């Protein structure tokens, strides 16, 4: 489950060797997760250090001028932690994400986490660049009557940044919480701006048509001109500054965690591309060998089959992890808040399924209730407090893609359906599909048929109607 993620530009001061040294210093400075055998020769960029439940793996892919690093830990509570760092040195882009996975043997679980200390080292070393002109920092950016245009342009969508903007206003001359604490927790993830002078709100009210946050409220502005912003009223958090800070951090991190990133900015993507390049190299060797000795060809043929199988498994694993992350993020959000409803006896068919169905039904119900009534206000509040992961739409699109225009229940189709979650049994000229071993969701699929152009569409429509 991905619990922390950020991407930001770095300066050309951050070289490949500098990055590796900083990661080693980060690990060696840890009092708990230190590798005792981490002796880097200063040259190797494809190397792995392992010790008991810890490992540090470094991979370089020169074709993309990219280095990917994974620090893996299996802690005393049987929780798996992966911290992935990927840097593209051509584009000067730095990516870091923190994943946490529990196991059946997990004995303790702490829902909170700390920002990886490596981000501090980059900030302190001056390696972090600017976000479309705004310096990325762990300090609050004060907004005064002389520079209010920086937040005015954000509110009016005249300026677009790659990182979220959090704008905190004052109430009777005071911030609703320790704003510097918020800036520190969101370092490298968002820009934190603070209203420094009282008359800024009145200026913005005129220039932004009253869309600005004011009187102690907090505005969260997401990247992109089409994205909506969020205003948090802080009056109900009097004397609960830490709770409010945690909520803002959770909202921002939830948004950032859900943003798709380029495959080559992920550890799995770099690893998969390395396998692909190795595969191409092996293919070239095979072509050369074919013209020489058939025996040599057989050897390389086996190697190529292994590479193809490994690449297919990695691609499947990446897709499964992405789907799992979306579901686990939803479950994490539920565990971090006081629940409105509790689950009954119905098991989830996939992570986050029940919550997504409930949110979709509430959205549909919202179109039926009378405007400006208590029911409408409650529905809007619940929907605004729970962001949809989109997993249902992804599941619907995926089953449509799998079954689109099938003409024969071949091995590829069966493999795709099994990966989706179906168990498949043969019943003469038909196949029976059972989803997640739940007999209530049983479907029949012809091995082949004359209506093949519509058969796949009809079957996917039936599955979506009953399950999704």
């Amino acid at each position: 489950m991905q619990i922390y993620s950020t991407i930001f530009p770095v300066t050309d001061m951050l070289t490949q060797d500098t990055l590796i040294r900083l990661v080693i210093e980060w690990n060696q400075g840890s009092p708990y997760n230190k590798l005792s055998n981490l002796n880097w020769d200063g040259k190797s960029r494809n190397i792995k250090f392992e010790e008991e439940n810890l490992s540090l793996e470094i991979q370089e892919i020169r074709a993309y001028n990219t280095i990917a690093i994974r620090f893996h830990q299996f802690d005393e509570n049987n929780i798996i932690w992966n911290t992935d760092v990927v840097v593209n040195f051509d584009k000067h882009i730095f990516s870091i994400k923190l994943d946490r996975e529990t196991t059946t043997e997990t004995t303790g679980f702490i829902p909170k986490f700390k920002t990886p200390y490596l981000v501090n080292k980059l900030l302190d070393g001056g390696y972090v660049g600017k976000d479309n002109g705004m310096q990325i920092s762990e300090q609050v950016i004060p907004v005064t009557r002389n520079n209010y245009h920086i937040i005015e342009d954000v509110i009016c969508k005249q300026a677009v940044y790659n990182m979220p903007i959090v704008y905190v206003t004052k109430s009777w001359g005071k911030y609703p919480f320790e704003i510097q604490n918020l800036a520190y927790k969101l370092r490298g993830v968002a820009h934190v701006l603070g209203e420094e002078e009282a008359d800024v709100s009145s200026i913005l009210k005129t220039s932004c048509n009253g869309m600005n946050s004011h009187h102690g409220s907090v505005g969260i502005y997401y990247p992109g001109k089409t994205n909506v912003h969020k205003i948090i009223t802080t009056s109900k958090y009097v004397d609960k500054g830490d709770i409010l800070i945690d909520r803002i951090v959770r909202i921002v991190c939830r948004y950032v965690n859900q943003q798709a990133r380029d495959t080559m900015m992920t550890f799995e993507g770099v690893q998969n591309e390395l396998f692909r390049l190795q595969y191409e190299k092996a293919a070239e060797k095979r072509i050369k060998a074919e013209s020489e000795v058939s025996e040599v060809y057989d050897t390389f043929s086996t190697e190529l089959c292994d590479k193809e199988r490994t690449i297919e498994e990695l691609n499947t694993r990446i897709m499964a992890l992405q789907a799992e992350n979306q579901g686990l993020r939803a479950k994490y959000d539920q565990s971090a808040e006081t629940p409105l409803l509790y689950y009954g006896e119905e098991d989830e068919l996939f992570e986050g399924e029940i919550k997504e169905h409930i949110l979709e039904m509430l959205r549909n119900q919202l179109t039926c209730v009378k405007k400006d009534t208590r029911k409408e206000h409650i529905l809007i509040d619940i929907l605004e407090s729970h962001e949809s992961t989109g997993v249902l739409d992804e599941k619907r699109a995926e089953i449509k893609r799998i079954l689109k225009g099938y003409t024969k229940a071949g091995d590829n189709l069966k493999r795709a359906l099994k990966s989706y979650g179906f168990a498949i049994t043969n019943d003469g000229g038909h196949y029976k599909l059972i989803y997640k071993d739940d007999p209530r969701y049983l479907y029949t699929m012809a091995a082949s048929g004359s209506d093949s152009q519509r058969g796949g569409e009809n079957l996917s429509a039936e599955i979506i109607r009953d399950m999704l």
Side-chain angles (χ1 to χ4, degrees):
M1 171 179 149
Q2 182 174 296
I3 59 177
Y4 172 87
S5 172
T6 187
I7 298 178
F8 52 75
V10 290
T11 67
D12 53 12
M13 292 173 54
L14 186 67
T15 64
Q16 291 88 337
D17 291 345
T18 301
L19 172 68
I20 296 174
R21 282 196 294 268
L22 286 173
V23 170
I24 292 175
E25 291 174 6
W26 165 47
N27 175 262
Q28 295 298 285
S30 172
Y32 308 108
N33 308 318
K34 179 179 178 181
L35 282 158
S36 61
N37 64 343
L38 213 169
N39 298 313
W40 183 50
D41 59 9
K43 299 178 181 179
S44 303
R45 294 180 183 172
N46 290 89
I47 191 170
K48 186 174 183 179
F49 303 94
E50 293 182 274
E51 179 182 296
E52 295 182 355
N53 295 330
L54 302 174
S55 68
L56 181 68
E57 184 174 2
I58 303 171
Q59 293 191 348
E60 180 185 32
I61 182 166
R62 294 186 178 180
Y64 293 83
N65 197 12
T66 295
I67 285 183
I69 300 174
R70 167 167 287 178
F71 176 65
H72 172 85
Q73 177 193 0
F74 191 74
D75 68 18
E76 67 278 4
N77 295 317
N78 291 313
I79 297 177
I80 301 171
W81 300 84
N82 284 320
T83 302
D84 292 348
V85 174
V86 181
V87 180
N88 184 309
F89 291 92
D90 285 338
K91 299 179 180 179
H92 301 291
I93 298 297
F94 173 91
S95 166
I96 185 169
K97 67 184 184 76
L98 175 62
D99 287 340
R100 176 184 61 206
E101 296 181 24
T102 59
T103 68
T104 55
E105 304 299 324
T106 296
T107 57
F109 186 79
I110 302 175
K112 293 186 179 181
F113 67 94
K114 293 183 179 179
T115 301
Y117 189 67
L118 180 61
V119 175
N120 293 53
K121 296 186 73 67
L122 292 172
L123 288 167
D124 294 341
Y127 299 108
V128 180
K130 294 183 178 181
D131 177 12
N132 291 338
M134 184 178 293
Q135 182 63 50
I136 300 171
S137 170
E138 61 184 9
Q139 301 297 321
V140 178
I141 300 176
V143 177
T144 67
R145 64 176 67 92
N146 295 323
N147 71 344
Y148 71 90
H149 292 292
I150 59 175
I151 188 61
E152 177 188 54
D153 290 342
V154 172
I155 297 172
C156 298
K157 299 184 178 181
Q158 298 301 313
V160 178
Y161 298 95
N162 293 316
M163 297 169 64
I165 303 288
V166 180
Y167 179 52
V168 186
T169 63
K170 290 182 177 180
S171 176
W172 304 108
K174 294 183 179 180
Y175 291 117
F177 49 77
E178 179 52 57
I179 188 174
Q180 182 55 47
N181 187 16
L182 175 65
Y184 183 76
K185 289 189 174 183
L186 288 177
R187 60 195 184 279
V189 178
H191 303 288
V192 177
L193 282 61
E195 178 188 45
E196 190 67 21
E197 297 176 345
D199 54 352
V200 170
S201 287
S202 58
I203 296 174
L204 292 176
K205 181 179 180 180
T206 301
S207 62
C208 299
N209 296 321
M211 295 187 298
N212 60 299
S213 54
H214 56 86
H215 200 62
S217 62
V218 179
I220 302 176
Y221 303 90
Y222 301 115
K225 291 187 176 182
T226 59
N227 286 338
V228 297
H229 62 270
K230 186 179 186 67
I231 301 294
I232 298 177
T233 303
T234 61
S235 57
K236 60 182 178 181
Y237 291 95
V238 176
D239 299 326
K240 296 179 180 179
D242 291 340
I243 295 177
L244 181 54
I245 289 176
D246 287 343
R247 184 189 176 197
I248 296 171
V249 170
R250 189 164 57 248
I251 290 172
V252 173
C253 287
R254 181 190 307 156
Y255 168 83
V256 176
N257 285 341
Q258 292 176 346
Q259 301 309 295
R261 62 178 64 192
D262 185 89
T263 303
M264 288 303 297
M265 290 306 295
T266 66
F267 185 87
E268 290 85 358
V270 170
Q271 189 179 54
N272 196 31
E273 183 65 10
L274 281 171
F275 274 113
R276 189 189 68 80
L277 294 175
Q278 291 172 4
Y279 167 79
E280 289 184 350
K281 187 175 182 180
E284 293 175 359
K285 290 181 179 179
R286 186 190 69 177
I287 294 173
K288 182 178 180 180
E290 284 177 340
S291 63
E292 297 176 353
V293 185
S294 61
E295 183 179 351
V296 177
Y297 165 76
D298 292 337
T299 301
F300 282 107
S301 179
T302 301
E303 181 181 350
L304 286 171
C305 289
D306 291 340
K307 297 296 184 185
E308 289 172 342
R309 185 164 51 253
T310 301
I311 290 173
E312 182 178 355
E313 290 174 354
L314 284 171
N315 280 325
T316 302
R317 177 61 175 159
I318 289 172
M319 292 176 64
L321 286 173
Q322 289 174 341
E324 180 183 4
N325 277 338
Q326 287 184 334
L328 289 176
R329 286 182 204 131
K331 179 173 287 187
Y332 170 72
D333 292 338
Q334 294 169 359
S335 66
E337 304 277 359
T338 300
L340 176 65
L341 299 172
Y342 292 93
Y343 286 107
E345 299 298 324
E346 191 73 25
D347 292 330
E348 288 194 327
L349 296 181
F350 48 84
E351 292 292 344
E353 180 217 11
I354 293 177
K355 177 182 174 182
E356 288 301 307
H357 275 304
I358 292 174
L359 290 178
E360 185 173 75
M361 287 186 283
L362 290 178
R363 283 192 293 271
N364 293 336
Q365 181 62 26
L366 183 60
T367 62
C368 302
V369 300
K370 184 179 180 181
K371 301 296 183 182
D372 295 323
T373 62
R374 182 59 176 163
K375 289 183 179 180
E376 184 194 41
H377 297 158
I378 291 174
L379 287 174
I380 291 175
D381 182 62
I382 292 175
L383 291 171
E384 288 183 348
S385 300
H386 297 80
E387 296 183 22
S388 174
T389 63
V391 65
L392 287 179
D393 289 335
E394 291 178 3
K395 286 284 185 180
R396 292 162 181 155
E398 180 65 8
I399 196 63
K400 288 180 180 179
R401 184 192 66 78
I402 291 173
L403 293 173
K404 182 178 180 180
Y406 84 89
T407 58
K408 182 180 179 181
D411 292 339
N412 289 337
L413 177 59
K414 293 177 187 177
R415 185 161 45 248
L417 288 169
K418 288 179 180 179
S419 177
Y420 192 85
F422 283 105
I424 304 175
T425 58
N426 193 338
D427 184 15
H430 295 79
Y431 289 97
K432 288 185 177 180
L433 311 180
I434 300 178
Y435 191 71
K436 298 291 185 178
D437 296 323
D438 192 328
R440 294 177 297 175
Y441 309 112
L442 184 147
Y443 305 93
T444 300
M445 180 179 71
S448 61
S450 58
D451 61 343
S452 59
Q453 295 301 318
R454 294 289 302 173
E457 296 179 9
N458 292 339
L459 181 54
S460 63
E462 182 182 357
I463 292 172
I464 291 171
R465 181 196 65 206
D466 293 350
M467 294 192 338
L468 303 173

